[in-house]
Amino acid sequence: MSNKYRSGKSSICKVVFHDMQPLDTLYLESTTKPTTENFKSLIDLAVMELPGQLNLFEPSLYDSEKLFSSIGALVYVIDSQDEYLSALQNLAVIIKYACSVNSKLHIEVLIHKIDGLSEDFRLETQRDIMQRVGDDLLDYGLDGVQISFYLTSIFDHSIYEAFSRIVQKLIYELPALENLLDLLMQYSTLDKVFLFDVNSKIYVATDSSPVDMQTYEVCAEFIDVTIDLDGLYENSGQEADGTVRSQPTRCVSKLQSGSVLYLHQMIRGLALVAVMRLEDENDANALAVIDHNVLVFKKSLEKLWERARIK
Ligand SMILES: Nc1nc2c(ncn2[C@@H]2O[C@H](COP(=O)(O)OP(=O)(O)OP(=O)(O)O)[C@@H](O)[C@H]2O)c(=O)[nH]1
């Protein structure tokens, strides 16, 4: 993650990966040194923050070639509430260099702090930024470079949505995962299914139907409720030989609207969360089928992970 001073990089890391309350980021001090944090999810993720006050191309600070050739995605944060022209020029220079050392790099631009802009102004700002970045790249002869833009804020779910999409680009097995989730939907009559990283609430995969932000929010909040409830109860069983084995967390909850939320713990800190509608009289049967299919999905996920590890 890179960009200017006070654009919001540390806040994003704290809110997404450390569950910090957005308002508490007001008191974060400016980062003075590059930092790296490692997270284990479906993939091992290293998030590196490059402080805005340091020059990326200063040889005594960074080995730029090594840095850019070792990363999978560059996330550039632009403060949409501040004057951003110099940030855009800086971005063009970074892209020019990054593309020369790593042609596979995903370039992701967060147009951040959009909570302070009106709905119309958000889209106008996005259009302006995309246009300017496009023109700058054209000047460098880099018009074929693919860049993704996201409107984000730490005060709503947009930052999780953006990070979900960014992390998904780094998962080599994503098409296979999406296929498995589509099959699960088809055979279990689910309306929507997500594979969540429980700690960050990033979804590492979902089925191929469009993501609706409200459904995402309900599912993410259901994870918190389940974890709180799970802490209250003993979640382990004794085997015949006396060993105590903890059971994977599973939770089903019916909302007033009639929708049913379903959560089943998977491997590597992941949970499968689904939304569905059940006819009352068939609840138990339908849930038994879903449980069975989810266990089949979990086994496939384990195999996928084993194979990915061997590669
Ligand atoms: N309104 C609004 N403020 C934000 C948002 N994200 C971060 N901020 C605020 O922006 C200020 C700077 O955030 P930091 O996370 O310290 O910025 P940084 O890019 O890490 O800054 P350096 O460490 O100096 O490079 C803080 O006061 C945050 O509360 C956002 O989405 N909306």
Side-chain angles (χ1 to χ4, degrees), residues 5-11 25 30-31 52 112-113 115 154:
Y5 182 64
R6 308 304 282 162
S7 60
K9 299 178 295 296
S10 310
S11 311
T25 63
S30 189
T31 317
H112 193 52
K113 304 193 190 177
D115 49 281
I154 53 171

Side-chain angles (χ1 to χ4, degrees), residues 11-23:
S11 311
I12 294 172
C13 289
K14 293 285 181 209
V15 169
V16 175
F17 296 105
H18 295 278
D19 224 5
M20 182 183 265
Q21 289 303 311
L23 276 179

Side-chain angles (χ1 to χ4, degrees), residues 36 44 46 48 50 63-74 97-98 101-106 170:
T36 306
D44 291 332
M48 195 185 297
L50 310 174
D63 179 347
S64 315
E65 188 170 345
K66 197 165 155 209
L67 178 70
F68 283 108
S69 50
S70 65
I71 56 175
L74 170 77
Y97 181 77
V101 291
N102 184 351
S103 57
K104 292 199 178 114
L105 186 68
H106 294 283
L170 305 177

Side-chain angles (χ1 to χ4, degrees), residues 264-310:
H264 201 119
Q265 187 182 347
M266 298 278 123
I267 55 168
R268 293 188 60 82
L270 299 174
L272 180 133
V273 185
V275 187
M276 65 192 105
R277 289 197 162 263
L278 293 176
E279 301 303 329
D280 274 346
E281 57 280 15
N282 292 327
D283 271 12
N285 286 348
L287 277 173
V289 171
I290 290 167
D291 281 337
H292 173 78
N293 289 344
V294 167
L295 285 177
V296 173
F297 172 82
K298 187 174 177 180
K299 286 209 180 95
S300 309
L301 187 63
E302 280 163 1
K303 278 195 201 143
L304 208 77
W305 163 243
E306 278 303 321
R307 247 179 273 144
R309 225 168 30 157
I310 295 165

Side-chain angles (χ1 to χ4, degrees), residues 105-238:
L105 186 68
H106 294 283
I107 299 166
E108 316 287 339
V109 177
L110 305 189
I111 302 171
H112 193 52
K113 304 193 190 177
I114 49 145
D115 49 281
L117 311 184
S118 69
E119 202 66 49
D120 287 350
F121 199 57
R122 286 177 192 182
L123 295 177
E124 204 176 297
T125 306
Q126 180 177 16
R127 240 192 324 265
D128 184 49
I129 290 179
M130 287 171 72
Q131 174 82 48
R132 286 175 191 277
V133 173
D135 289 349
D136 285 346
L137 291 184
L138 205 60
D139 289 346
Y140 285 125
L142 290 170
D143 39 321
V145 175
Q146 286 287 325
I147 306 176
S148 305
F149 294 87
Y150 309 82
L151 291 169
T152 57
S153 163
I154 53 171
F155 292 98
D156 59 31
H157 284 90
S158 56
I159 193 66
Y160 296 93
E161 168 73 4
F163 264 84
S164 298
R165 288 175 187 268
I166 293 169
V167 170
Q168 283 170 30
K169 289 188 186 174
L170 305 177
I171 300 176
Y172 181 74
E173 295 80 11
L174 188 69
L177 266 177
E178 285 177 346
N179 261 336
L180 287 172
L181 290 171
D182 277 343
L183 281 174
L184 181 67
M185 288 263 288
Q186 202 179 327
Y187 289 106
S188 313
T189 56
L190 308 174
D191 291 336
K192 185 75 196 157
V193 59
F194 292 99
L195 191 57
F196 267 99
D197 175 62
V198 170
N199 279 335
S200 61
K201 310 291 178 335
I202 285 174
Y203 59 93
V204 296
T206 181
D207 63 273
S208 54
S209 67
V211 176
D212 154 55
M213 259 302 110
Q214 231 177 340
T215 310
Y216 166 84
E217 284 170 32
V218 171
C219 291
E221 275 157 27
F222 187 52
I223 295 178
D224 285 334
V225 174
T226 307
I227 289 174
D228 288 349
L229 283 175
D230 204 37
L232 291 175
Y233 299 103
E234 186 73 46
N235 193 21
S236 56
Q238 197 153 8

